[in-house]
Amino acid sequence: MDTNDSLRVASLWHSMHAISQQLSPTTGCSGIELLEADTFDLHCFQSLTGTKFFVVCEPGTQHMEALLKVVYELYTDYVLKNPFYEMEMPIRCELFDINLTQAVQKDRVALLGR
Amino acid sequence: MPPAAPRSGDAIFASVERVNAELFTLTYGAIVRQLLTDLEEVEEVNKQLDQMGYNIGIRLIDEFLAKSNVSRCVDFKETAEMIAKVGFKMFLGVTASVMNWDADGTCCSIVLEDNPLVDFVELPDTCQGLYYCNILSGVIRGALEMVSGNEDGSHLDS
């Protein structure tokens, strides 16, 4: 998925998340956490600062919340601590990409056992 | 999956990599001295330290939230306690105390008994009015702004 597609998905999700918070019949709702579709699941984690992390995976994949937590920690390390990263801009930090790939790979190995 | 329990400042401080405290004190001292040389006006330096702190705070808050697993504070009292007990412990290794609450609970002082930034520092008479640790109030201002959006900054007396 290239940058433009990523931005499109992210902005679409941001709006849907905000709308769902307003529409929710339960009080104290903080937005969509899980979207289940036929061909994919979308798990979303929102930090207290409002930054949202979401992962699209195969339907029924377990432990995505833990993965999102790991991604949050990677973000606070490799993105926020990079003085040349401008807040709210697309992330172009190589270390973040490398560590993110490793985390996803480790997760995949743990889940599939290979 | 049940949410993880909040971690104590001690536990987090023990688990991260640390740097020599004196290097930290020297680095901060060098920054303040350079700002005084460049800007000359004590007020300007205070403002610059606050701005630097703000830029740190807006980034630091996510690390604080990620590592400490705290949930949203219900009121300002809880926020102040969280900053003093968990925040300062996690990043500076020292605990602060919260005191001097005003009547409506909107204003307080956070006091650091042992401040690593000011080890060995003595302010000369030419620097009267310099808030040496103003970076800390900027950090708090930036961090709080990211989670709530409407905090008023204040200075710290060393």
Side-chain angles (χ1 to χ4, degrees):
Chain A
M1 215 162 79
D2 71 351
T3 321
N4 283 331
D5 285 340
S6 308
L7 285 172
R8 205 170 292 132
V9 173
S11 60
L12 188 63
W13 182 251
H14 177 77
S15 319
M16 275 177 63
H17 195 271
I19 293 171
S20 73
Q21 218 171 329
Q22 301 290 319
L23 286 181
S24 168
T26 59
T27 49
C29 171
S30 61
I32 306 175
E33 283 176 3
L34 171 60
L35 175 74
E36 284 173 325
D38 287 334
T39 48
F40 69 92
D41 278 354
L42 190 154
H43 295 255
C44 179
F45 166 73
Q46 183 179 40
S47 72
L48 290 177
T49 54
T51 313
K52 289 171 272 300
F53 298 87
F54 66 88
V55 64
V56 179
C57 54
E58 302 244 317
T61 319
Q62 300 295 310
H63 308 305
M64 286 293 104
E65 290 87 32
L67 178 65
L68 283 169
K69 233 12 209 82
V70 168
V71 173
Y72 186 34
E73 288 197 29
L74 289 177
Y75 170 73
T76 64
D77 282 339
Y78 294 105
V79 178
L80 292 182
K81 291 196 187 124
N82 183 348
F84 299 108
Y85 167 70
E86 289 175 45
M87 300 285 292
E88 323 280 314
M89 290 281 112
I91 297 170
R92 297 196 201 290
C93 307
E94 206 177 303
L95 283 174
F96 178 67
D97 292 332
I98 294 172
N99 281 277
L100 183 60
T101 322
Q102 277 177 357
V104 171
Q105 197 57 33
K106 207 164 32 168
D107 194 74
R108 185 180 298 160
V109 168
L111 281 179
L112 299 178
R114 53 184 152 90
Chain B
M1 205 172 82
R7 297 169 68 193
S8 76
D10 284 312
I12 307 164
F13 188 65
S15 66
V16 294
E17 282 177 30
R18 276 158 285 170
V19 77
N20 184 313
E22 276 160 36
L23 176 63
F24 182 58
T25 310
L26 279 172
T27 307
Y28 187 68
I31 292 174
V32 178
R33 282 297 285 124
Q34 194 59 45
L35 284 174
L36 279 167
T37 313
D38 290 341
L39 302 172
E40 286 166 21
E41 281 285 308
V42 160
E43 258 322 298
E44 280 303 312
V45 177
N46 288 340
K47 248 194 291 190
Q48 194 70 359
L49 284 174
D50 184 79
Q51 186 59 33
M52 284 167 62
Y54 177 80
N55 290 332
I56 295 174
I58 58 179
R59 294 161 181 255
L60 209 64
I61 180 66
D62 270 314
E63 163 138 20
F64 174 75
L65 293 171
K67 295 229 156 80
S68 67
N69 282 328
V70 296
S71 48
R72 192 169 275 284
C73 294
V74 292
D75 60 9
F76 186 57
K77 281 209 160 68
E78 199 183 336
T79 311
E81 284 295 319
M82 196 64 72
I83 295 171
K85 299 283 176 280
V86 187
F88 274 106
K89 187 71 202 174
M90 208 170 124
F91 292 110
L92 287 181
V94 295
T95 329
S97 18
V98 188
M99 38 185 88
N100 300 341
W101 281 104
D102 72 345
D104 21 296
T106 54
C107 184
C108 67
S109 303
I110 297 182
V111 180
L112 289 152
E113 285 304 322
D114 171 26
N115 185 349
L117 288 175
V118 304
D119 283 342
F120 322 120
V121 175
E122 286 173 20
L123 279 186
D125 294 329
T126 49
C127 295
Q128 287 304 313
L130 176 68
Y131 299 137
Y132 190 79
C133 304
N134 216 25
I135 203 167
L136 293 178
S137 72
V139 172
I140 295 175
R141 181 171 70 92
L144 289 179
E145 200 173 289
M146 291 299 275
V147 276
S148 76
N150 54 356
E151 299 302 322
D152 220 354
S154 59
H155 67 264
L156 290 167
D157 285 325
S158 9

